[in-house]
Amino acid sequence: MNIEDRIAEIEGYIIDLRRRFHQNPELSWEEYETSKIISEELDKMKIPYKKECGTAVIATIKGGKSGKALGIRADIDALPIKEETGLEYASKKEGVMHACGHDAHTAILLGTARILNDIKDELVGDVRLVFQPAEEFIQDSGAKYLSQLDSILTLDRIIGLHIWANIDSGKAALREGPIMASADTFDMYIEGKSGHGAQPDQAIDPIVAGSMAVNALQTIVSRENNPLDPQVISITASNSGSSKNIIPQAAHLEGTTRAFNNNVRDNFESQIRRILEGIATITRTKIKLEYHNGTPATINEPESTKLGINAAKEVFKDGFIGDFPLQMGGEDFAKYLVNIPGCFMFLGGAGKAGHFSQHNKSFQIDEAALKLGVEYFVRYALAYLK
């Protein structure tokens, strides 16, 4: 029996699992029921596993002969979004939704486990199945902790995928080098002196300082860093004041930085601090910066990606996309790639319902894409562990 036939036999199982996860979404670090379901399925397959970091599950399929170790990762958490899809298997939890496709990733990896476990004697080496919590928690994500475990650091290679509802089902995108940006965040606390709006000379205005910061920080992108390296510094929230005629005591600004070059990313914090120190001097305010390292840029390692491209072309044929645009969103899979060579693929998921962006209350995918994700993982594992 060939791979496609075997996967076709369990397609219903994969879809049923995905719908079960979709109906019961759980937020970052709260994936207890999801973790329980994963463990129960692994028990049925007699695949040994360990619980790590609260809700993570790491399982190992031992090959027939010793060899390299391949990691395959799926994220398992959902988002604080009220679902408005109208699906019969829509979320049962008010205000929580699998609006990014992690339910699909988890089901795909369990389907992959069934296939690889059945043919494990053919493998020269081991496959480690990494069910990771809290991908969506940018400041304290699951990969931050799992990537430091011995069971992960001893991997020779790691792969993953993300279902993408802006790519048609039946297609997939994979390329070498950067594919997703770094994603860090920051808080800016500005302390001034409250006063009457009619007497600004007797106050120290934090709003003026905040306004200067919004504009001045853009010079990092436009005047300090290489314009050939795409990058973003965005102020996304500004909170201060409560009355039309009172200069407030303080202001709080929040923002994010993005880059595809990790050297650019590493410089953002010091650049922001230097500019804020100057603004504080000019405006007589006190400015405190809290910079939160999220995830580095996701950069696909060449050798890992070449093997992935070969596997993807077998699966998707003319539907393979080799030049998909870079995505400014972040992905904590990048934290594994700091120490382990690997690659990350975009799996097309748009069907008859249309194209939806991730994190949308109407987010939907074509479930026919699930079996293609399983086939990609299986073909990659067989090629790598031959």
Side-chain angles (χ1 to χ4, degrees):
M1 182 182 297
N2 65 27
I3 294 171
E4 294 97 322
D5 290 342
R6 178 70 182 107
I7 294 173
E9 285 183 356
I10 67 165
E11 183 178 10
Y13 165 80
I14 302 165
I15 291 173
D16 288 345
L17 268 179
R18 184 257 164 170
R19 293 185 177 188
R20 187 177 174 188
F21 291 128
H22 192 85
Q23 284 186 309
N24 299 280
E26 295 175 298
L27 297 174
S28 298
W29 297 121
E30 299 176 10
E31 311 95 334
Y32 299 105
E33 183 62 26
T34 303
S35 180
K36 180 183 176 184
I37 295 170
I38 293 167
S39 300
E40 290 172 349
E41 294 302 316
L42 293 170
D43 284 335
K44 293 174 187 176
M45 300 178 222
K46 295 182 171 57
I47 298 175
Y49 60 87
K50 288 185 177 181
K51 296 286 189 72
E52 300 278 8
C53 303
T55 52
V57 181
I58 300 179
T60 301
I61 299 174
K62 293 196 70 66
K65 295 181 180 179
S66 61
K68 293 171 287 190
L70 172 69
I72 310 179
R73 175 271 209 168
D75 37 15
I76 66 175
D77 57 327
L79 287 157
I81 294 174
K82 181 179 178 180
E83 181 166 353
E84 295 185 12
T85 61
L87 294 169
E88 60 181 22
Y89 53 88
S91 171
K92 295 178 180 178
K93 294 187 178 180
E94 183 69 20
V96 185
M97 177 189 176
H98 270 296
C100 200
H102 297 184
D103 51 341
H105 304 166
T106 309
I108 286 170
L109 189 50
L110 284 169
T112 301
R114 280 191 64 167
I115 301 297
L116 292 178
N117 196 48
D118 287 346
I119 58 174
K120 61 186 178 184
D121 290 342
E122 299 178 26
L123 304 177
V124 181
D126 302 336
V127 177
R128 204 148 294 145
L129 312 167
V130 183
F131 296 92
Q132 180 213 300
E135 191 278 332
E136 299 291 358
F137 196 159
I138 227 174
Q139 292 174 212
D140 200 36
S141 74
K144 173 181 175 180
Y145 300 97
L146 267 62
S147 62
Q148 301 305 309
L149 297 174
D150 286 343
S151 58
I152 303 300
L153 289 171
T154 53
L155 292 172
D156 296 292
R157 186 171 291 185
I158 190 166
I159 60 173
L161 60 75
H162 205 305
I163 197 153
W164 214 250
N166 278 324
I167 299 176
D168 290 335
S169 181
K171 296 183 178 182
L174 181 61
R175 62 190 291 177
E176 293 180 22
I179 59 164
M180 298 186 79
S182 62
D184 298 328
T185 58
F186 58 87
D187 289 274
M188 189 191 315
Y189 298 96
I190 305 174
E191 188 73 20
K193 179 183 176 182
S194 181
H196 198 293
Q199 297 173 312
D201 58 304
Q202 297 179 25
I204 297 176
D205 195 336
I207 293 179
V208 170
S211 299
M212 292 177 68
V214 171
N215 288 321
L217 292 181
Q218 298 312 309
T219 64
I220 295 173
V221 174
S222 66
R223 289 296 180 268
E224 292 193 35
N225 294 344
N226 188 338
L228 298 180
D229 279 323
Q231 57 204 264
V232 166
I233 298 178
S234 290
I235 303 297
T236 56
S238 178
N239 299 286
S240 183
S242 59
S243 174
K244 294 181 177 64
N245 64 351
I246 299 174
I247 292 173
Q249 176 78 16
H252 176 206
L253 280 68
E254 300 174 68
T256 185
T257 64
R258 308 283 166 133
F260 294 106
N261 182 331
N262 283 325
N263 291 325
V264 172
R265 179 220 183 193
D266 291 342
N267 289 330
F268 276 141
E269 181 178 359
S270 62
Q271 291 173 318
I272 292 172
R273 286 191 185 281
R274 174 175 45 77
I275 285 176
L276 295 184
E277 286 171 3
I279 291 173
T281 299
I282 293 169
T283 60
R284 299 174 296 140
T285 57
K286 295 179 181 179
I287 303 180
K288 176 185 176 184
L289 176 69
E290 292 183 358
Y291 197 89
H292 313 289
N293 286 313
T295 182
T298 305
I299 302 175
N300 284 340
E301 188 269 332
E303 289 303 314
S304 305
T305 308
K306 287 175 185 175
L307 186 59
I309 288 172
N310 290 337
K313 286 181 175 178
E314 286 187 76
V315 178
F316 302 97
K317 301 178 174 59
D318 291 342
F320 174 75
I321 303 169
D323 58 352
F324 191 64
L326 302 182
Q327 301 297 302
M328 197 56 85
E331 166 58 60
D332 82 340
F333 184 80
K335 294 175 183 176
Y336 300 106
L337 298 179
V338 171
N339 297 310
I340 308 163
C343 63
F344 194 70
M345 184 183 78
F346 294 118
L347 172 65
K352 293 179 181 178
H355 289 227
F356 297 91
S357 62
Q358 321 294 118
H359 297 210
N360 184 296
K361 64 185 178 181
S362 301
F363 179 82
Q364 293 186 46
I365 62 166
D366 176 16
E367 293 177 319
L370 301 179
K371 65 179 182 293
L372 299 177
V374 173
E375 185 180 349
Y376 168 73
F377 278 157
V378 170
R379 288 193 181 279
Y380 195 112
L382 289 174
Y384 185 61
L385 303 176
K386 31 184 184 177

